[in-house]
Every structure is written in structure tokens, then in C-alpha cells.
Amino acid sequence: MTKNSDAWARALKVMPGGVNSPVRAFKAVGGDPRFIVSGQGSRICDLDGREYIDFVGAWGPMILGHAEPRVTAAIRKAAEGGTSFGAPTPAETILAEMVIDAVPSVEVVRFVNSGTEATMAAIRLARGFTGRSKILKFAGCYHGHSDGLLVKAGSGATTLGVPDSAGVPASIASETLVACYNDIEDVDRLLALHEKAIAAIILEPVAGNMGVIPPNEGFLEVLRERCNATGTVLIFDEVMSGFRVARGGAQWRFGITPDLTCLGKIIGGGLPVGAYGGRPEIMKMVSPSGPVYQAGTNSGNPIAMAAGIATMEQLTSELYSSLEARARRLAAGLENAVAGRGIVQHVGSMMTLFFLTRESLEAALATGEPLDSLQCYDDLFAVDKETYAKFHLHCLDRGIYLPPSAYEAFFLSAAHSDEDLDRFIAVTEEFCRNIT
Ligand code: PLP
């Protein structure tokens, strides 16, 4: 028995499925999850002393790599000054100013503890602001695990084969309408059917939770128009894309300003932080300045704020240009390696390598339209998750740590070297040479 398998056996006895978040259990790819004991730069190390080049990056936050010295120093300093006060601290205002400065739609911001809290609160706010109850989301977009948003909710659900969750009352799910991503006609159909009843349209402006699916040209723009025309609040869930696809997020990259924005992951520098924000007219509805209640014992926690500030201070335009260039290089290398068996989709440094089933590739060829992009949840039928599971194990055995699901994004960080990327490409080439 290795130390890792021993740790897994112990964990399985005391936590549901052995984990505190489902996808970590490796159910979709098989094998035991690796227990990680340390991380430094682009590398993580498991209990048995094996080192991996990490492309999961804590599911997005670690844009600077692990244990980045300035972030670590800021955390240490904040901790030495007291870990939590439940009272205002100057660091909250500093991080708020940084977020507002970077994200076009955000003029006023409220910090919470997770992405789930951010989207849940943003939905409540949109309902309070409009006096309407329904929300419209897109199949395959994940917005955290609050009841009303666990409907056709992307990777976790897709991976485990449960599109909805037990325990969500039908009455709550019925307030959630689901449209097809990148399909304006479907949105129009639902808007017409539920005229003036929809409080908000919420989406990942770059989908990352069904694998990376970029918005088609004009998609975000038309959603903006439809929301203007119907008095619906447009919410961009930028928990993953915020400070990832650009400092100002997808809204900056694509030039479309939502009414509300949800953030998380990177703004906490690896500590638990979420945020939602928008223009004052809407945000003034939030308690205590308005009637929409939302609170948190640990919201704006001083250590989390310190980690966020130290991270944001380093997110320069040079850093994004370099990430962008290296992401293009990696995508090209991987695409070349999987040619004829898969495709790579990415927006900046968030990326997915989709293996595709032979049947879907052949069927597409027969129609004369090669399968060269996936644009919505329904397209995922073409994904070959069995081959991905084999690829995942192949990579793990060669020191490359990838998401344990075929329907997730992986991430580049500033700490990944060219050698790290070359190694990933070489390991992928080796796999593709040998798949049958
Ligand atoms: N929204 C998006 C787009 C996410 O990717 C996630 C998590 O992956 C969430 C919301 C939920 O965030 P958290 O896991 O911090 O609750």
C-alpha cells in the first residue's frame, strides 16, 4: 500500500466519496485521486513524492503559480496581524478599488466567500431589482451549487451523469429556464414565452464548465440587446473567466458590458473569495443600503483580501500578453498532436483538449462538414470520454496533472515554462501515436 492509497482509504471512511468536492474523486477517469502535499510554481507534489506539472491550477485561481513568494508573504503578514475581525478592514476597500478599476461593468462590489455565493446573491439581487422571479441560464454553464442554478449545470453534473441534483425542489427548478449556448433563437423563444417574467439571463461569457466553449461572434452582443429590450438583468458569471481571459475578464475582451458580474477564483489568489458587482443603481439594492439581504461572517476576510491584492498587483498587461502567446503555442502543439482524433478550444489561457469519438468524426465527414468546433452542450455527445480517461492516466504517469474529467478547462499560469509546455505536447504526441 502506498501512502497515497492509504490516505484515500482513510478519506473514504470519513467524507462522502472521500472528498469535499465531487470532481476530485476521479470517478470519471478512474484510479485513485492524488493527495497533494505541496506546490511550487508550476509543480505540485503528491504524498508518495511524485511531482507533476500542474495544469489544473486549483481550477483556475493559481494564475501566478503555486506559493508565489509575494502572495505567500502577504498572507503571512496578514495572518500575523489577526485572522478575522468581522469588522471593516482597509484591505477590503483596496481590493474593491482594484476590481472596479479592472472590470468594466463593476462600479460597486460586494465580497463573499465563493463563486457559488456570488452567483446566488447576484440572482437574488436581479430578482429584487426587477420584481420578477424567473432566470434564464444555458445548458452546460455551471454557476455553483445553489438550488436554482443546479439545472443542466455542466461538468460536475455531466461527469457524474446527474444533470440535476436530488434535493432541489421542483418548484425552485421550475423558476429556471434553460437555453442552448450560442443559440439566440432559443433565447428568443424563451423570452417570448415568458415575457416580462425573466429577472436575469446568466451565463459564463466564455463557457468553461462543459470544457472551453467560446461565445460565437455576436452572441454576447445580441444577449445585451435582448436584455435592454426586455428590462432583463444580464449577469456575466466571470468566476472562471474574470482576470483569466484578460484583466478585465471576458467583458473587456469581447467589449460587452453586463449589468452584474460575478467573480471568484483569481481575485482570492488561492484563498476563498467571491464577489458580485455592477452599477450603483442596482448595487444600492443590497443590504444594508437596500432591501436585498446578503451577509457573511467571513466575507472580506483579511487574509483572503491580502492574497487577492498581492495577486492583482502582479496581473500586468505584460503577464497577459505572455500567457496569451504561450497559450497559443500550447494549443497549436496539442492540436497538431491530436489531429484527426480531437480538437483544442481555448480563449487565452483557459483551454480544453476534446478527444472526439470515431463515429462522430466519421458522421461529420460524411456530411461534408468536418467537426472542428463544439459550440454548445448538445455538441458534447461527440466527446470521447473513454479516450480522455486513458489520456489522463497516461499524463499522470508521466508527471502531467490534468483535470479528472473530459469536460473541464485546464489553465496556464505565469509559472509554466516553455519546457513545461513542450513536455505536455510531447506526452500528448506519445499518447496519440499509440491510441488505436
Ligand atoms: N461559476 C463558475 C463559472 C465556476 O466555474 C464556478 C466554479 O468552478 C462557480 C461559479 C462556483 O464557484 P465556487 O466553486 O467557488 O463556489
Side-chain angles (χ1 to χ4, degrees):
M1 205 152 183
T2 62
K3 283 189 190 163
N4 199 90
S5 54
D6 189 37
W8 183 224
R10 278 180 68 188
L12 278 166
K13 287 195 191 127
V14 292
M15 289 176 279
V19 291
N20 286 306
S21 196
V23 76
R24 295 179 198 171
F26 275 31
K27 283 216 180 248
V29 289
D32 292 355
R34 303 296 191 259
F35 280 68
I36 306 303
V37 291
S38 64
Q40 191 73 56
S42 66
R43 308 295 165 122
I44 52 176
C45 204
D46 76 11
L47 252 183
D48 292 327
R50 287 173 296 206
E51 192 180 83
Y52 306 89
I53 306 170
D54 177 24
F55 288 96
V56 177
W59 302 95
M62 310 317 300
I63 192 165
L64 300 175
H66 294 284
E68 197 286 324
R70 278 170 61 187
V71 176
T72 307
I75 292 172
R76 189 175 299 122
K77 186 163 173 230
E80 281 166 3
T83 54
S84 192
F85 307 110
T89 61
E92 291 161 78
T93 310
I94 295 171
L95 189 60
E97 287 167 353
M98 289 172 123
V99 169
I100 290 164
D101 182 54
V103 185
S105 67
V106 179
E107 294 176 62
V108 179
V109 66
R110 165 64 59 87
F111 289 114
V112 292
N113 301 291
S114 68
T116 295
E117 264 191 75
T119 55
M120 186 177 71
I123 295 285
R124 184 180 302 143
L125 176 55
R127 285 177 166 147
F129 181 70
T130 57
R132 303 173 182 176
S133 65
K134 294 208 181 297
I135 55 166
L136 193 160
K137 77 178 284 290
F138 292 87
C141 283
Y142 177 66
H143 305 292
H145 62 85
S146 67
D147 282 355
L149 289 166
L150 268 187
V151 181
K152 295 251 177 178
S155 169
T158 311
T159 301
L160 300 174
V162 274
D164 296 323
S165 166
V168 174
S171 56
I172 293 182
S174 71
E175 297 289 354
T176 306
L177 310 167
V178 182
C180 176
Y181 199 79
N182 276 326
D183 186 343
I184 284 296
E185 273 177 32
D186 206 27
V187 173
D188 283 343
R189 178 183 65 80
L190 289 167
L191 284 175
L193 210 58
H194 301 276
E195 202 192 346
K196 301 270 157 57
I198 302 177
I201 295 182
I202 183 167
L203 78 158
E204 294 178 70
V206 174
N209 285 287
M210 47 181 160
V212 173
I213 297 195
N216 284 348
E217 204 177 328
F219 180 58
L220 301 177
E221 199 170 356
V222 177
L223 288 181
R224 178 66 278 175
E225 279 167 27
R226 297 296 191 271
C227 284
N228 289 348
T230 55
T232 307
V233 175
L234 181 61
I235 305 176
F236 277 7
D237 177 354
E238 298 231 43
V239 168
M240 189 184 284
S241 59
F243 294 91
R244 168 58 64 182
V245 299
R247 188 171 160 92
Q251 57 197 267
W252 184 88
R253 190 169 175 127
F254 296 105
I256 305 295
T257 307
D259 299 302
L260 289 175
T261 297
C262 301
L263 296 162
K265 298 192 191 264
I266 289 176
I267 60 162
L271 273 79
V273 181
Y276 63 103
R279 54 178 196 278
E281 181 200 359
I282 306 183
M283 289 303 291
K284 73 172 190 225
M285 301 281 294
V286 177
S287 181
S289 54
V292 175
Y293 193 72
Q294 184 271 307
T297 300
N298 275 308
S299 296
N301 174 273
I303 305 178
M305 297 293 105
I309 293 166
T311 298
M312 303 273 250
E313 279 171 350
Q314 300 183 62
L315 299 180
T316 58
S317 52
E318 294 74 36
L319 177 138
Y320 285 103
S321 311
S322 153
L323 271 181
E324 197 77 22
R326 282 178 304 126
R328 272 201 299 273
R329 195 167 85 73
L330 177 63
L334 294 176
E335 194 129 63
N336 193 37
V338 299
R341 285 309 303 268
I343 51 175
V344 175
Q345 301 200 156
H346 78 109
V347 176
S349 60
M350 61 189 269
M351 193 175 301
T352 300
L353 189 170
F354 293 106
F355 286 99
L356 303 173
T357 62
R358 282 202 187 284
E359 300 77 56
S360 50
L361 284 163
E362 279 160 17
L365 270 184
T367 65
E369 285 185 33
L371 191 51
D372 54 11
S373 74
L374 303 180
Q375 302 188 8
C376 65
Y377 185 75
D378 286 349
D379 286 353
L380 299 184
F381 79 92
V383 172
D384 181 351
K385 49 186 201 305
E386 284 77 29
T387 297
Y388 183 84
K390 288 181 199 153
F391 176 62
H392 182 263
L393 181 62
H394 170 91
C395 287
L396 263 189
D397 284 346
R398 287 155 184 78
I400 306 276
Y401 190 80
L402 293 179
S405 159
Y407 310 102
E408 293 282 1
F410 62 81
F411 304 94
L412 281 193
S413 77
H416 284 103
S417 65
D418 284 347
E419 290 71 35
D420 290 338
L421 307 190
D422 288 341
R423 172 86 188 130
F424 186 9
I425 294 167
V427 166
T428 307
E429 284 168 348
E430 183 195 2
F431 177 78
C432 291
R433 268 198 305 277
N434 296 315
I435 39 174
T436 44

